[in-house]
Structure formats: C-alpha cells, structure tokens
Amino acid sequence: MTKKHKALKIFLVIFVIILFLPEFPKVPVQNATAKDWNAKSFWFEPWGKSGVHKGIDIFGKMNTPILSTTYGLVIFAGELPRGGKVVAVLGPKWRVHYYAHLNVDSVFIGEPVWSGKTIASLGDTGNAKGKPPHLHYSVVTLVPYLWKIDGTLQGWKKAFYLDPAAILLP
C-alpha cells in the first residue's frame, strides 16, 4: 500500500469517526432557557437581506457569557458585516456552530473548546446594533442532509442549515 493510499485511509477513518461522534449540546447563552428564544423563528420569512432566518435568536442581558454548545475547534473568530463579532466552531458530525452579534469574543482560531466553555459575551454588533442584545445561533452541516430540501424560499439551503432549537432541545 502506498503512502497516498494510507493517508487516504486515515483521512476516511477520521472523517467517519467525527461524523458519528455525539455532540452533547448545551444552550449557548448562560442561564437561558427555551423561553428566551422563539423556536418558530428558524426559517422565518421574510427576514431582511438574507430572505429567511437561518438560526434562532437567544435574548439576554448585555455581556452575559456565551458558552460553546459542544466540543470542537474554533475555525473563525472575527467580524462580519451582518453578524458583527462572530465565532464559528467546527464540532462533531462535521457541523459548524455559528455565534453572532457578540460583544466580545474570547477565543482564537485553532483553539479547542468544550461544551460549556465561555467563548464570548452577549452583544448587539453587526445588523443587531440598537436592538435588544441577543445571540444569533446557527448550525450548518458540512455533510448535506438532502432529504431536508423543500419548496420553501431558499429551501435547498435546508440541506445545510439545521434547526438549532431541535439540536438544543431534542
């Protein structure tokens, strides 16, 4: 077996292991409950420039700690025009957990995190400026769930955007 084949085999084994690891998700805004977000806001339309709302907004007090919902690796920590201060964590099942409108982030790219670790504080940055402080929380799968595609506005994106409320409260 060549080195190339061995490397490919190792990559496939790692890919499959990560795909099936459990997440053990936690609510990302410290002390928040399901009463602090509207579960029906996922895929709500119309929703500004993005057309549909591809996550949930969890409300709380400014600077409340934001906790990683799962273990994983920080793949982005910075600013985006709509999201403001943002952190993205690659977790189990090849899912990216996206946290936006943060006041302060406290992690760096490449940092390992675990479920419940403080990664930021609640804010109103990006297009949430002037609105009540909240966390926009989205979960994006890198392995498409093709059976979730439907005829709604941008319905093909449902193969990638998962309902965070269903993940947090299974």
Side-chain angles (χ1 to χ4, degrees), residues 21-27 68-71 92-93 114-116 167:
L21 287 175
E23 288 178 302
F24 307 113
K26 291 190 185 270
V27 175
S68 180
T69 54
T70 189
Y71 57 93
K93 301 183 181 184
W114 54 90
S115 186
I167 292 168

Side-chain angles (χ1 to χ4, degrees), residues 87-99:
V87 170
V89 173
L90 176 61
K93 301 183 181 184
W94 291 99
R95 293 177 177 174
V96 176
H97 298 260
Y98 174 82
Y99 309 84

Side-chain angles (χ1 to χ4, degrees), residues 76-151:
F76 183 82
E79 292 201 33
L80 298 172
R82 288 188 200 163
K85 291 184 180 172
V86 168
V87 170
V89 173
L90 176 61
K93 301 183 181 184
W94 291 99
R95 293 177 177 174
V96 176
H97 298 260
Y98 174 82
Y99 309 84
H101 308 312
L102 309 172
N103 191 35
V104 175
D105 63 41
S106 56
V107 290
F108 56 87
I109 295 173
E111 182 176 349
V113 296
W114 54 90
S115 186
K117 178 186 180 354
T118 299
I119 59 172
S121 66
L122 192 67
D124 65 351
T125 59
N127 64 5
K129 198 68 177 160
K131 297 176 183 164
H134 66 278
L135 171 71
H136 173 84
Y137 176 60
S138 291
V139 180
V140 179
T141 179
L142 300 179
V143 179
Y145 292 14
L146 299 176
W147 59 92
K148 292 196 174 249
I149 295 172
D150 64 23

Side-chain angles (χ1 to χ4, degrees), residues 8-21 94:
L8 180 60
K9 193 174 189 179
I10 290 170
F11 172 78
L12 288 174
V13 167
I14 291 171
F15 179 84
V16 168
I17 288 172
I18 293 173
L19 184 62
F20 292 105
L21 287 175
W94 291 99

Side-chain angles (χ1 to χ4, degrees), residues 30-78:
Q30 188 174 57
N31 299 322
T33 67
K35 294 176 184 176
D36 295 309
W37 73 80
N38 181 349
K40 294 179 182 177
S41 67
F42 177 70
W43 223 262
F44 185 84
E45 63 174 291
W47 199 273
K49 292 181 182 178
S50 62
V52 296
H53 194 236
K54 299 172 189 78
I56 58 174
D57 292 336
I58 306 172
F59 293 86
K61 292 181 180 172
M62 183 68 85
N63 291 319
T64 299
I66 300 298
L67 313 173
S68 180
T69 54
T70 189
Y71 57 93
L73 191 66
V74 176
I75 58 172
F76 183 82

